[in-house]
């Protein structure tokens, strides 16, 4: 209890300190919950000399320094902090420029004149200056603004202002531009929220300075190059990170000139990354972000990316997963330079382990897992830590030869048991497992750990950029310590935030439980965020990659991205690529009494909303007969002012066909159940009702329309963040899957193949499922037509 009280007291002190510098309550509490950021921010506050508090603007800038400062430029942090505290660097634009400059400078001597010029020190931008440039940009783009009104992409226009006034206060710029828009346009109208119709004629070329981008286009963050933050391979001689030891010494990790030159000779100076999944399950959308970063950086720099299976745990890995990963990587649009396995390097890894022991940096340990845990909690050295090198060499050889029982010995790295970083507590390098390996067979009975193998294989493969998620940030010290201890090449390491999507779980352990306990229908269940599930649901790799690009390569951990944001990108893609058709989910029979029973009128329906009249391929024929089917939900016995469906005595338009008017309703014996509707159609189309309904007709007398099965999917979990719940399985949505087995579709669907995508008018986007048979097609709803994200939920 005293330890807990002490920890609680420390957190309260930190919270008080963070509130003193002006952080809002939520940010301060979130910071205290993150030990790494808490430590960094506390150090920054002390280094800046503002433990008694400061104004909010300075405090927010200090927070940015604590979370984004480049590790290779630590000697210059105190200099930057003095500029911040003295208000010489006082805007986020200035600070971002300063961080970029310092990151490029590294630990070299800092030229203050160049530094001040790079981040606008001394440059004053008045409100009058901003207002003048806002007026200039508005005038240059006036025609576009008046045409698109509030649909104009303000981000692009603000970018023009920032280009001319890079050190202007962004908030003031936004306020003044909003005021200018209001001056030009007045109040926002309902029409401003409608999606603009595309012009049929070819648009005229507009100068770059006045290029309009409507809000229905992709968000502006996707137009930026996210890979500009990464250094070039020939810059990899700077200090990567500092590893402080409990004895007061500091290891500054960097490549020697000889190591870097040797590496560059092998790679030709090109970028070489790796995507390293563990083959213990199916990949999910978080892996899509990792692929985008790993393969995307290589593509951006005209380099290469390896697909490397991190197969160090033979008990959890299956060939099924290995095959799936390679296939889904290619489906996502990425082509590996090489396909490698950590197990390819087991012999080299073993030899490096022997060398590590010889150098006095590893030892064979006999502690049980519980004893190791206890000693780590107490920061105590293992009783076998200082055994003779020759003894550890002999015992490690015995481990390799299978002469020691499983669980009776491990090889541990001799790091720093008294460090403040628990990932320096003599991590395990090798353990004994008498289990055959899916790729390496039964050659080995000792297997390397992730912490030991990952960095060495990165070095062996001459990886230039080792990119991983933020939970591995505390492992960076161990990563560089080991490469330094072995004297081998050190890649550049950078961590990014995990992709957390709402209303789902991303943990492989939780996903595995959902699958094995049959809460879902396999790894490719369309309700899961596995890439196989998203593909089966009908989502495209283009849309998934656009979503990931829009989220960005940030270090803001803990952010929960709304699933609506993914759906927005899916709609944007399918709106351009999925042809329209009509399907009725819950059919209600309508008999057209003034149309002959043996007569069918072919009407033209559009595959695309902007179909040109002279483009026959953009249209398809729909038979209109005397028996049609509409949705049951589109008919009511009682009409109302705000209802646009069909009702007794009321008219509606059947999409692409004719107006019809309800003349009679046939009820069942209970006088409640509606059996069919009687209606008359208006062949002259003079009637102009407001309501427009989708429909499907009998193709010929007595012949029912094409019967299809439709599966409607909703969120798998009711809560936005079910992973936080103790009993997360109880949060499963009981209505996440609804099967409609007797829907009617137009006959043009009969030749659809698995994976084909369509827009069912008024219903959403759908894809043909793999459960389809020649007798019956099955469609999965990909997304609905409603778009909350695109209407301001961004």
């Amino acid at each position: 209890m005293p330890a807990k009280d002490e920890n609680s007291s420390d957190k309260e002190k930190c919270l008080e300190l963070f509130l003193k510098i002006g952080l809002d309550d939520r940010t301060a509490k979130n910071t205290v919950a993150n030990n790494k950021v808490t430590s960094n921010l506390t150090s920054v506050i002390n280094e800046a000399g503002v433990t008694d508090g400061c104004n909010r603007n300075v405090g927010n800038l200090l927070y940015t320094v604590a979370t984004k400062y480049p590790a290779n430029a630590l000697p210059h942090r105190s200099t930057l902090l003095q500029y911040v505290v003295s208000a010489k660097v006082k805007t986020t634009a200035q600070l971002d420029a300063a961080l970029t400059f310092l990151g490029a400078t590294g630990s070299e001597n800092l030229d203050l004149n160049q530094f001040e010029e790079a981040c606008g020190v001394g440059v004053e931008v008045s409100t009058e200056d901003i207002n003048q440039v806002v007026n200039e940009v508005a005038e240059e783009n006036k025609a576009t603004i008046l045409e698109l009104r509030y649909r104009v992409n303000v981000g692009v226009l603000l970018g023009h202002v920032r280009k001319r006034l890079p050190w202007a206060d962004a908030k003031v710029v936004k306020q003044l531009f909003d005021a200018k828009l209001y001056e030009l346009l007045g109040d926002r109208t309902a029409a401003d929220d409608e999606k603009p119709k595309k012009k049929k004629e070819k648009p005229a070329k507009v100068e770059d300075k006045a290029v309009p981008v409507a809000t229905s286009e992709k968000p502006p963050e996707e137009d930026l190059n996210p890979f500009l933050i990464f250094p070039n391979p020939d810059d990899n001689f700077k200090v990567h990170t500092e590893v402080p030891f409990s004895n007061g010494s500091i290891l500054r990790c960097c490549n020697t000139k000889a190591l870097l030159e040797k590496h560059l000779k092998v790679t030709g100076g090109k970028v070489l990354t790796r995507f390293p999944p563990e083959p213990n399950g199916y990949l999910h959308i978080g892996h899509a972000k990792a692929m985008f970063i790993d393969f995307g950086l290589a593509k951006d720099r005209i380099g290469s990316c390896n697909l490397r299976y991190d197969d160090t745990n033979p008990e959890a890995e299956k060939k099924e997963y290995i095959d799936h990963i390679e296939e889904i990587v290619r489906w996502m649009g990425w082509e590996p330079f090489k396909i490698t396995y950590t197990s390819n390097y087991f012999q080299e890894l073993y030899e490096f382990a022997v060398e590590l022991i010889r150098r006095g940096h590893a030892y064979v340990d006999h502690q049980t897992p519980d004893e190791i845990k206890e000693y780590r909690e107490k920061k105590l050295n293992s009783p076998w830590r200082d055994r003779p090198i020759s003894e550890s060499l002999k015992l490690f050889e015995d481990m390799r030869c299978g002469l020691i029982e499983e669980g009776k010995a491990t090889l541990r790295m001799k790091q720093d048991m008294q460090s403040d970083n628990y990932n320096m507590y003599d991590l395990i390098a090798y353990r004994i497992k008498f289990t055959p390996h899916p790729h390496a067979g039964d050659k080995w009975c000792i297997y390397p750990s992730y912490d030991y193998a990952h960095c060495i294989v990165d070095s062996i493969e001459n990886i230039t950029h080792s990119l991983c998620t933020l939970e591995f940030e505390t492992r960076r010290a161990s990563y560089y310590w080991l490469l330094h201890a072995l004297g081998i090449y050190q890649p550049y390491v950078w961590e990014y935030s995990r992709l957390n999507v709402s209303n789902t779980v991303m943990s492989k352990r939780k996903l595995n439980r959902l699958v094995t306990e049959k809460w879902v229908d396999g790894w490719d269940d369309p309700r899961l965020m596995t890439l196989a599930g998203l593909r089966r649901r009908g989502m495209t790799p283009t849309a998934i990659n656009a979503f990931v690009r829009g989220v960005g390569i940030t270090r803001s951990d803990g952010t929960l991205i709304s699933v609506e944001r993914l759906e927005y990108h899916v709609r944007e893609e399918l709106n351009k690529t999925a042809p329209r058709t009509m399907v009725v989910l819950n059919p209600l029979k309508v008999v057209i009494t003034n149309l002959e029973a043996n007569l069918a009128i072919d009407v033209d329906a559009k595959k695309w909303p902007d179909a040109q009249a002279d483009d026959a391929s953009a249209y398809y024929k729909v038979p209109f007969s005397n028996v049609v089917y509409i949705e049951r939900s589109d008919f009511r016995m009682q009409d109302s002012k705000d209802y646009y469906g069909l009702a007794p005595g009321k008219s509606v338009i059947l999409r692409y066909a004719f107006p019809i008017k309800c003349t009679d309703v046939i009820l069942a014996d209970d006088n409640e159940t509606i059996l069919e509707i009687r209606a008359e159609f208006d062949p002259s189309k003079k009637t102009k009702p407001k309501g427009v309904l989708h429909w499907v007709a009998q193709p010929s007398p007595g012949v029912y329309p094409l019967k299809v099965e439709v599966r409607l999917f909703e969120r798998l979990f009711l809560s936005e963040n079910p992973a936080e719940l103790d009993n997360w399985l109880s949060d499963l949505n009981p209505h996440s899957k609804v099967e409609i087995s007797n829907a009617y579709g137009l006959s043009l669907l009969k030749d659809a193949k698995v994976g084909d995508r369509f827009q069912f008018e008024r219903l959403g986007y759908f894809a043909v499922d793999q459960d389809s048979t020649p007798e019956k097609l099955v469609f999965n709803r990909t997304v609905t037509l409603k778009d909350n994200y695109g209407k301001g939920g961004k």
Side-chain angles (χ1 to χ4, degrees):
M1 285 300 292
K4 280 188 177 180
D5 291 342
E6 184 178 333
N7 184 48
S8 177
S9 175
D10 289 343
K11 286 190 173 184
E12 288 176 5
K13 289 178 182 177
C14 289
L15 180 60
E16 183 181 352
L17 179 61
F18 299 161
L19 292 172
K20 275 185 182 179
I21 66 165
L23 295 190
D24 61 77
D25 188 66
R26 182 179 178 182
T27 302
K29 288 178 178 176
N30 287 343
T31 302
V32 170
N34 187 317
N35 293 335
K36 177 70 175 177
V37 179
T38 295
S39 175
N40 285 350
L41 184 54
T42 303
S43 298
V44 164
I45 292 170
N46 282 288
E47 199 172 342
V50 292
T51 52
D52 291 330
C54 60
N55 68 57
R56 172 167 290 187
N57 184 58
V58 170
N60 287 332
L61 294 177
L62 295 180
Y63 179 83
T64 301
V65 173
T67 54
K68 294 185 177 180
Y69 193 84
N72 66 321
L74 284 173
H76 307 307
R77 190 170 74 176
S78 60
T79 302
L80 173 61
L81 292 175
Q82 292 311 308
Y83 275 83
V84 171
V85 172
S86 62
K88 291 181 179 178
V89 170
K90 56 187 177 183
T91 67
T92 54
Q94 285 182 298
L95 183 57
D96 287 343
L99 294 175
T100 300
F101 182 88
L102 293 173
T105 302
S107 58
E108 298 173 4
N109 291 333
L110 179 63
D111 186 320
L112 288 179
N113 290 330
Q114 290 182 4
F115 170 74
E116 291 186 356
E117 183 180 354
C119 53
V121 172
V123 177
E124 294 293 334
V125 182
S126 67
T127 303
E128 289 74 19
D129 295 332
I130 299 173
N131 203 43
Q132 180 181 340
V133 174
V134 164
N135 286 331
E136 290 172 0
V137 171
E139 186 62 31
E140 291 165 4
N141 294 271
K142 188 173 181 179
T144 300
I145 293 171
L146 293 177
E147 178 187 356
L148 296 177
R149 290 183 55 81
Y150 286 102
R151 297 191 302 271
V152 72
N153 191 327
V154 178
V156 171
L157 301 175
L158 294 178
H160 295 318
V161 178
R162 285 195 295 271
K163 189 178 288 186
R164 301 179 198 184
L165 296 175
W167 314 121
D169 188 311
K171 288 184 179 178
V172 176
V173 172
K174 181 69 166 59
Q175 289 168 358
L176 291 178
F177 214 103
D178 285 346
K180 186 64 181 178
L181 285 179
Y182 185 79
E183 177 188 323
L184 290 172
L185 305 175
D187 290 330
R188 196 181 189 98
T189 66
D192 291 324
D193 295 322
E194 293 178 2
K195 192 170 182 177
K197 295 180 179 179
K198 294 182 180 178
K199 292 185 176 181
K200 294 181 181 179
E201 67 272 11
K202 187 175 180 180
K205 188 173 181 180
V206 187
E207 290 183 18
D208 289 343
K209 65 181 182 180
V211 172
V213 184
T215 54
S216 60
E217 300 296 328
K218 59 185 177 181
E221 68 265 21
E222 295 169 39
D223 295 324
L224 306 176
N225 184 342
F227 304 110
L228 295 176
I229 59 177
F230 298 115
N232 291 321
D234 54 6
D235 287 333
N236 198 4
F237 58 87
K238 299 172 182 177
V239 174
H240 297 96
T241 193
E242 294 186 342
V243 182
F245 287 91
S246 55
N247 63 6
S249 63
I250 296 177
L251 172 63
R252 292 180 172 86
C253 303
C254 60
N255 286 308
T256 63
K257 184 177 180 181
L259 280 174
L260 185 58
E261 286 179 351
K262 181 181 177 183
H263 160 76
L264 293 173
K265 188 175 181 180
V266 173
T267 63
K270 291 190 173 182
V271 165
L272 179 58
T273 60
R274 82 289 175 270
F275 173 57
E278 185 178 357
N280 61 354
Y282 277 47
L283 301 189
H284 55 63
I285 197 167
H287 294 103
K289 178 175 181 177
M291 278 186 255
F292 176 80
I293 296 172
D294 292 324
F295 285 97
L297 172 60
K299 183 179 179 181
D300 181 74
R301 302 290 176 87
I302 317 178
S304 304
C305 179
N306 293 342
L307 166 58
R308 185 208 302 157
Y309 292 102
D310 180 24
D311 57 342
T312 59
N313 184 4
E315 294 172 335
E317 292 146 13
K318 294 180 182 178
K319 189 175 186 306
E320 173 194 354
Y321 302 145
I322 292 172
D323 294 341
H324 155 74
I325 289 170
E326 181 179 347
E327 188 270 332
I328 209 74
V329 165
R330 288 196 163 97
W331 179 76
M332 284 296 297
W334 306 116
E335 187 61 37
F337 175 61
K338 289 180 183 176
I339 296 177
T340 65
Y341 296 78
T342 297
S343 55
N344 289 347
Y345 306 101
F346 276 178
Q347 183 61 41
E348 292 98 318
L349 289 166
Y350 172 77
E351 291 168 3
F352 274 121
V354 172
E355 180 61 25
L356 201 64
I357 297 170
R358 286 193 180 122
R359 295 187 179 200
H361 294 310
Y363 61 96
V364 172
D365 188 34
H366 302 289
Q367 287 185 301
T368 66
D370 287 340
E371 288 171 337
I372 290 175
K373 182 181 177 183
E374 179 186 353
Y375 273 57
R376 281 177 171 166
E377 289 173 349
K378 296 178 179 179
K379 294 189 174 185
L380 298 175
N381 291 343
S382 165
W384 289 278
R385 194 176 200 263
D386 296 317
R387 72 191 328 163
I389 289 174
S390 58
E391 194 174 301
S392 282
L393 286 170
K394 172 66 169 60
L395 287 167
F396 189 51
E397 176 64 15
D398 289 345
M399 288 171 61
R400 185 185 73 84
C401 294
L403 301 178
I404 300 178
E405 291 180 39
E406 191 169 327
K408 296 296 184 182
T410 58
L411 181 70
R412 294 178 66 183
M413 295 178 270
K414 193 182 287 187
Q415 296 170 303
D416 185 1
M417 287 296 294
Q418 286 72 49
S419 171
D420 290 331
N421 183 348
Y422 62 87
N423 280 305
M424 288 293 286
Y425 291 173
D426 289 10
L427 298 180
I428 291 173
Y430 270 88
R431 68 276 200 217
I432 302 167
K433 285 184 181 289
F434 293 106
T435 304
H437 191 279
H439 187 69
D442 57 4
K443 180 179 177 181
W444 297 90
C445 62
I446 57 171
Y447 293 102
S449 67
Y450 170 88
D451 292 295
Y452 173 77
H454 189 71
C455 56
I456 295 177
V457 177
D458 276 352
S459 183
I460 292 172
E461 291 190 343
N462 277 292
I463 298 303
T464 58
H465 299 72
S466 180
L467 311 171
C468 52
T469 48
L470 272 173
E471 65 261 34
F472 293 99
E473 185 175 26
T474 55
R475 284 181 158 103
R476 190 193 286 199
S478 170
Y479 184 104
Y480 283 128
W481 173 90
L482 180 52
L483 297 181
H484 176 82
L486 290 169
I488 58 179
Y489 161 75
Q490 302 173 20
Y492 171 78
V493 173
W494 197 83
E495 301 88 4
Y496 53 88
S497 60
R498 291 183 62 179
L499 177 56
N500 299 306
V501 179
S502 69
N503 301 94
T504 191
V505 291
M506 306 281 273
S507 150
K508 275 193 179 178
R509 181 182 60 82
K510 287 184 170 66
L511 287 171
N512 190 60
R513 189 171 173 190
L514 287 172
V515 173
T516 56
E517 295 181 8
K518 300 190 183 304
W519 295 99
V520 295
D521 304 323
W523 284 100
D524 64 349
D525 188 300
R527 292 168 292 180
L528 293 177
M529 281 288 165
T530 58
L531 294 176
L534 295 178
R535 174 171 61 182
R536 186 173 177 185
R537 186 157 174 164
M539 296 190 184
T540 67
T542 306
I544 296 169
N545 282 325
F547 164 68
V548 168
R549 185 185 183 95
V551 169
I553 309 175
T554 67
R555 288 173 56 85
S556 304
D557 206 16
T559 303
L560 190 66
I561 306 298
S562 172
V563 69
E564 289 179 353
R565 187 166 181 170
L566 169 62
E567 292 171 347
Y568 164 82
H569 288 281
V570 174
R571 288 188 189 93
E572 288 289 290
E573 169 74 9
L574 295 182
N575 185 49
K576 302 169 188 172
T577 60
R580 274 62 170 166
T581 187
M582 291 189 288
V583 169
V584 174
L585 300 183
N586 297 294
L588 175 60
K589 184 177 180 181
V590 179
V591 177
I592 310 297
T593 57
N594 61 333
L595 182 64
E596 294 178 29
N598 60 352
L599 181 64
I601 304 171
D602 281 341
V603 297
D604 289 324
K606 293 181 178 181
K607 291 181 182 179
W608 316 102
D610 54 354
Q612 302 296 307
D614 59 352
D615 182 5
S617 67
Y619 291 82
Y620 64 96
K621 298 292 184 181
V622 180
F624 175 75
S625 65
N626 78 316
V627 177
V628 300
Y629 294 88
I630 65 172
E631 296 285 358
R632 283 193 173 271
S633 58
D634 282 336
F635 180 82
R636 289 183 189 174
M637 291 297 291
Q638 296 294 326
D639 194 13
S640 61
K641 195 173 183 180
D642 58 347
Y643 176 61
Y644 295 99
L646 190 62
K650 185 178 180 180
S651 296
V652 295
I653 296 177
L654 296 183
R655 183 80 161 139
Y656 305 120
F658 304 94
I660 63 169
K661 181 178 181 180
C662 176
T663 58
D664 195 10
V665 180
I666 309 301
L667 300 177
D669 292 340
D670 59 9
N671 282 325
E672 289 184 6
T673 304
I674 300 170
L675 297 179
E676 68 179 54
I677 305 297
R678 300 289 169 87
E680 294 180 350
F681 87 111
D682 175 9
S684 67
K685 299 186 180 181
K686 290 181 180 179
T687 311
K688 303 293 183 184
K690 291 183 178 180
V692 180
L693 308 185
H694 64 283
W695 55 280
V696 173
Q698 286 188 359
S700 57
V703 178
Y704 286 101
L706 179 70
K707 187 176 289 188
V708 297
E709 179 178 321
V710 177
R711 296 171 181 174
L712 306 179
F713 297 106
E714 297 291 348
R715 309 284 189 260
L716 182 57
F717 290 91
L718 298 170
S719 301
E720 280 198 341
N721 195 358
E724 287 187 338
L725 304 175
D726 292 334
N727 188 9
W728 58 279
L729 286 172
S730 66
D731 191 53
L732 282 164
N733 180 2
H735 307 296
S736 61
K737 178 181 179 181
V738 175
E739 295 182 348
I740 300 173
S741 57
N742 293 309
Y744 283 158
L746 295 179
S747 57
L748 70 84
L749 290 171
K750 67 180 184 300
D751 296 322
K753 303 293 188 296
V754 173
D756 286 352
R757 303 175 182 90
F758 301 89
Q759 184 197 104
F760 293 173
E761 298 211 32
R762 297 181 67 223
L763 299 177
Y765 295 98
F766 292 77
V768 182
D769 187 70
Q770 63 196 31
D771 288 344
S772 296
T773 65
E775 291 74 34
K776 192 172 191 179
L777 287 168
V778 178
F779 290 90
N780 295 326
R781 184 170 67 188
T782 309
V783 287
T784 61
L785 296 178
K786 186 179 179 182
D787 179 9
N788 291 327
Y789 175 77
K791 292 180 180 177
K794 300 180 185 182

